[in-house]
């Protein structure tokens, strides 16, 4: 299940980047989206770094 999370987190980051470029959001909304994306990226990094994907 952890490997699925890593793949989904990477897909989320790509879609988030595309969505932020395509639409205009307030600064607060952009900050929340970016922080949620970064937390997903960090958690995926921890999974990969600690070899929890097996």
């Amino acid at each position: 299940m952890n490997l699925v999370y890593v793949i989904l987190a990477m897909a989320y980051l790509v879609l988030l980047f595309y969505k932020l470029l395509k639409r205009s959001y307030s600064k607060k909304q952009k900050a929340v989206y970016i922080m949620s994306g970064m937390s997903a990226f960090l958690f995926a990094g921890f999974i990969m770094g600690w070899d929890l994907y097996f």
Side-chain angles (χ1 to χ4, degrees), residues 1 4 7 20 23 25 34-36 40 44 48 50-51 54:
M1 291 304 290
V4 173
I7 292 169
L20 287 176
R23 290 186 171 177
Y25 292 102
I34 290 171
M35 286 176 15
S36 67
M48 296 298 288
W50 291 332
D51 296 329
F54 288 112

Side-chain angles (χ1 to χ4, degrees), residues 25-37:
Y25 292 102
S26 69
K27 288 184 181 183
K28 184 178 179 182
Q29 286 176 323
K30 280 186 181 181
V32 169
Y33 283 139
I34 290 171
M35 286 176 15
S36 67

Side-chain angles (χ1 to χ4, degrees), residues 39-51:
S39 66
F41 179 74
L42 287 173
F43 190 62
F46 287 142
I47 288 173
M48 296 298 288
W50 291 332
D51 296 329

Side-chain angles (χ1 to χ4, degrees), residues 6-31:
V6 171
I7 292 169
L8 288 176
M10 295 303 155
Y12 173 73
L13 287 174
V14 170
L15 291 174
L16 175 69
F17 183 71
Y18 178 73
K19 187 177 180 180
L20 287 176
L21 288 178
K22 190 152 179 125
R23 290 186 171 177
S24 62
Y25 292 102
S26 69
K27 288 184 181 183
K28 184 178 179 182
Q29 286 176 323
K30 280 186 181 181

